[in-house]
Amino acid sequence: MGALSALEQTLENRLDALWARLLDKEPVEVLDALRRECDDNAVVCREGRVMVPNAYDVELPDDVHDHLTRTGTDVGQALTDSLCRHAERRGYEFAGPLAVHVARCPDVPNGRYRVAGRVMHHVSTDGFFHASH
């Protein structure tokens, strides 16, 4: 790991710790879930090129949503920035512009959050197949 990568990882860890202190553990858990969703849906198109979904939906119960947004922080943008850094460290390419949408959902199965990644509808999956040639 180069010096710049080590510095980025240190900054990311400190940002995670700050989120955890300021907003309890939910943001860190949600960010970990986003990272797993990204990693789990990575598609190797060819050697050196790994594509991942570019749209992520984070559904939160009302109380968790209120808790995370009460400081006025744009949670969606913060999660987007963190996921972008994660993808850069892993060498992933997004299947289009990255977006993380945070929404209220009263029926989240685990009562805490639900995360789902997808390729935005206007992005053709043909790019995954053409990239491998």
Side-chain angles (χ1 to χ4, degrees):
M1 181 182 295
L4 187 56
S5 294
L7 177 62
E8 286 176 349
Q9 185 64 46
T10 300
L11 290 173
E12 186 75 25
N13 290 342
R14 289 194 180 180
L15 177 64
D16 289 350
L18 177 63
W19 274 64
R21 263 187 267 130
L22 291 175
L23 303 170
D24 296 328
K25 293 192 179 235
E26 286 93 349
V28 176
E29 291 177 23
V30 170
L31 182 55
D32 286 344
L34 272 171
R35 290 173 181 159
R36 276 192 309 277
E37 182 73 10
C38 182
D39 294 343
D40 291 349
N41 289 290
V43 175
V44 177
C45 297
R46 66 171 191 260
E47 187 176 335
R49 185 157 190 208
V50 180
M51 301 290 290
V52 292
N54 63 319
Y56 295 83
D57 295 311
V58 177
E59 297 176 341
L60 305 170
D62 290 336
D63 59 330
V64 174
H65 187 276
D66 292 344
H67 181 71
L68 292 178
T69 58
R70 73 173 177 224
T71 62
T73 302
D74 184 345
V75 177
Q77 186 60 53
L79 292 172
T80 300
D81 294 344
S82 292
L83 188 59
C84 186
R85 286 190 297 274
H86 172 73
E88 286 174 5
R89 281 194 305 274
R90 299 278 179 134
Y92 295 158
E93 292 181 44
F94 290 104
L98 175 60
V100 176
H101 180 256
V102 179
R104 293 175 186 272
C105 182
D107 63 344
V108 178
N110 64 7
R112 301 185 70 197
Y113 57 83
R114 176 174 31 214
V115 175
R118 61 186 166 76
V119 174
M120 283 187 195
H121 295 295
H122 69 277
V123 177
S124 170
T125 56
D126 291 341
F128 283 102
F129 300 111
H130 290 12
S132 63
H133 293 99

